[in-house]
Amino acid sequence: MINKHQKSFIWRFHLGSDPEDLWPYLSDINRLFKSLGTIPIYPATISRTIPKGFHELTHQHLKSLAVWQEEPVMWEKPHRFGMNRHYRSGIFKELRVLADISTSTDKTRLEIKIHLTTVSPLLTVPINLYFGYYLKKRLSKQLRIIDEACKAKKELYELNKANKLSRFSRRRLKKIIPVLVKETKRKRIVNRLADYLEKADDEQLSRIHPYELAEYWGEKKFSVLNVFLHAANNDLLDFGWDICCPNCNSPKHHFRKFSEAYTPLRCDECDLEYSMDFNKNTQLIFRPNPLIRRIINKQYCAGGPGSKPFRISQHYLELGEDKYLKVHLEEGTYIFKSHQNKGHLKIHVRESGADNVTLYLTDEDFKGQEVTISTRPNLVLSNRSSKKVVCFLDKENWKQEAIYASEVSSSVDFRSLFSRELIKESTKIKTTDLTILFTDLMNSTEMYLQEGDEMAIGRVMSHFKIIQQIVAEERGGIVKTIGDSVMAVFREPVSALKAIQRIQQIFTTSTSLGDSFKIKAGIHMGDCTAVNLNGKIDYFGTTVNLASRLVDVAKEKEVMLSEAVFDHPDVQLYLDRNSDTFFVKETQPELKGFEDEEIKIKQIRMERPTMRLVI
């Protein structure tokens, strides 16, 4: 019989930053464990059946093999997180860690409880030294660094010393930087990128999201993306495509090229098969070129809260167990799911919502039931099913600062620099809820006759460049031009509306372009299919056809919005905030090819109609 010995530790720290500011750093358990000098972990393939949401893991050290099953990490943002390991071999039988973050007067209190069970009481002395002294000392040092970064409003990489690059890498970096500055005319961004590549941790560099850095640097997103694309073309960076699971939103597959992608894909954690979707789960990510810096991306934690910033809470409930959640929620809509139940519950959070709410989990699937709760609810999760349950609460419509394939594959920079980055000719990629914008010049024929072909063509090309620039700044891409018309795509409908508003303003007020340019537009959103056509990514389907018909029925300085675009919450909010600029009228014109369908359209003018006095 194996003797067991239990040992507990409680560490308490006081920090000067708020829990909300500390949470992104403390909840990144993978980075935190690495900084503590813990041993990397690897997936183990010993058991044939593992509970859904669990991980079977191992690490090999000093010729002793430890294997354990790890429960899903629990957390309640930004107040606590914890993990439980159940060992099948090694010196431990069980390890439990719980971190609790609370405020007291002007300080934040972090309390960490560690409970472990060993196979022998003879391990007491080394356990006390390791947990009671070594780990606590290293954590205290790391917390000081985190607290300093929060107070200074800096990212952790800025506090790091530059990593020691090889002499060869430094020569390459020194050679590439002036080339990038010359190509992009963005010296400040280029220098910031070089600093980031030298100082950031391997975990940060393994998946670089340019828009996140643009937000932190205070730079325009399209400008940072432009630098990153040129950096990849000059072998300073490399890029690839993350395909995220539509259920857990985590990157489960990675392809260096579109042509390497296959389907169907699978997320073992969610037990779900899925496909690539250009507008929902296919994201462009960057990493250093191996000739500049080789990344060793080891794993120290499986699935902590830092990897799922959209998730407010996650819990594992035993049979009959109740969990009392400590959460402070912003007003909005949240989705409650579990690994064991299909469907979801929709939770609306309002100041006036219910304070005391119990969510019962049974063997029945969720059916989209809705409930309204307060921002500081007494929320109880109760497992009344016949199974152990993993459940979680996600923020609906949470928007990651990621670059999606629908956006970047149509950008001029990407197409000119990486013309070979295409999907296979026989492949058709689903694209969900893509927004299509068509613009058209109303009087181009008259302009050609009055000014001559050469002059008119030059002016039309200038008009294309202006539209191209604005579309890029609003996170869209031009798919193609058809005569004097433009077809552009956006991930979000409000981005298309902002783009056409700016386009209309420029061509209405510009004296250099004059009155010759009278723009009209149509916007629609829906599902379509991405294909490789004539060496470019193009989109086809009813959504595209309807969008092209909307611009046909528009008049000068008008934008026709489909009902799907107009009813989108972000569009509604933008129209409300700019009610003095937009003038909306409902119409139902006959659209070619859609004569048998009743299609409601909103006719929007960007300025007040001219008053005419008739005598």
Side-chain angles (χ1 to χ4, degrees), residues 316-335:
Y316 169 62
L317 276 67
E318 297 280 356
L319 297 177
E321 185 179 5
D322 293 339
K323 287 280 187 182
Y324 298 85
L325 271 59
K326 179 183 179 182
V327 289
H328 296 167
L329 305 172
E330 297 178 353
E331 288 194 320
T333 302
Y334 297 76
I335 300 298

Side-chain angles (χ1 to χ4, degrees), residues 143-202:
L143 290 176
R144 286 196 298 270
I145 296 173
I146 291 173
D147 205 19
E148 181 183 346
C150 290
K151 291 176 181 177
K153 304 296 181 184
K154 290 186 176 182
E155 291 288 339
L156 286 179
Y157 83 88
E158 293 183 284
L159 304 181
N160 294 342
K161 295 181 180 179
N163 284 280
K164 292 182 179 180
L165 301 180
S166 68
R167 186 178 303 174
F168 171 76
S169 297
R170 289 194 177 279
R171 284 202 304 265
R172 285 187 62 85
L173 188 63
K174 188 176 181 179
K175 183 179 179 180
I176 293 172
I177 286 176
V179 175
L180 280 181
V181 172
K182 183 179 180 180
E183 290 181 357
T184 65
K185 307 294 190 296
R186 296 183 169 103
K187 183 178 180 180
R188 184 175 60 225
I189 297 176
V190 172
N191 289 335
R192 281 175 164 167
L193 173 59
D195 185 59
Y196 186 72
L197 293 178
E198 288 196 72
K199 292 182 177 180
D201 297 332
D202 284 0

Side-chain angles (χ1 to χ4, degrees), residues 80-139:
R80 61 170 65 103
F81 60 86
M83 54 178 290
N84 292 341
R85 291 179 176 179
H86 307 283
Y87 286 81
R88 301 186 62 186
S89 65
I91 63 172
F92 297 115
K93 294 300 292 181
E94 187 176 54
L95 171 64
R96 299 201 304 269
V97 179
L98 177 64
D100 200 291
I101 309 165
S102 59
T103 54
S104 58
T105 61
D106 59 341
K107 294 287 186 179
T108 295
R109 174 181 171 180
L110 171 63
E111 182 178 87
I112 297 178
K113 297 178 181 179
I114 302 173
H115 179 83
L116 52 89
T117 304
T118 64
V119 298
S120 170
L122 298 178
L123 295 167
T124 299
V125 173
I127 290 295
N128 283 339
L129 286 174
Y130 184 71
F131 284 91
Y133 175 75
Y134 176 77
L135 275 187
K136 184 178 180 181
K137 182 179 179 180
R138 294 203 62 157
L139 179 58

Side-chain angles (χ1 to χ4, degrees), residues 185-222:
K185 307 294 190 296
R186 296 183 169 103
K187 183 178 180 180
R188 184 175 60 225
I189 297 176
V190 172
N191 289 335
R192 281 175 164 167
L193 173 59
D195 185 59
Y196 186 72
L197 293 178
E198 288 196 72
K199 292 182 177 180
D201 297 332
D202 284 0
E203 290 72 29
Q204 292 174 294
L205 294 177
S206 65
R207 280 188 170 86
I208 309 174
H209 290 284
Y211 286 170
E212 290 182 354
L213 289 176
E215 192 77 24
Y216 176 65
W217 290 340
E219 302 284 356
K220 293 180 179 179
K221 293 182 174 62
F222 81 94

Side-chain angles (χ1 to χ4, degrees), residues 437 467-478 488 490 499 503:
L437 165 68
I467 292 179
Q468 171 190 312
Q469 176 74 12
I470 293 173
V471 166
E473 290 176 2
E474 296 297 341
R475 295 188 58 174
I478 293 181
F490 299 81
I503 291 168

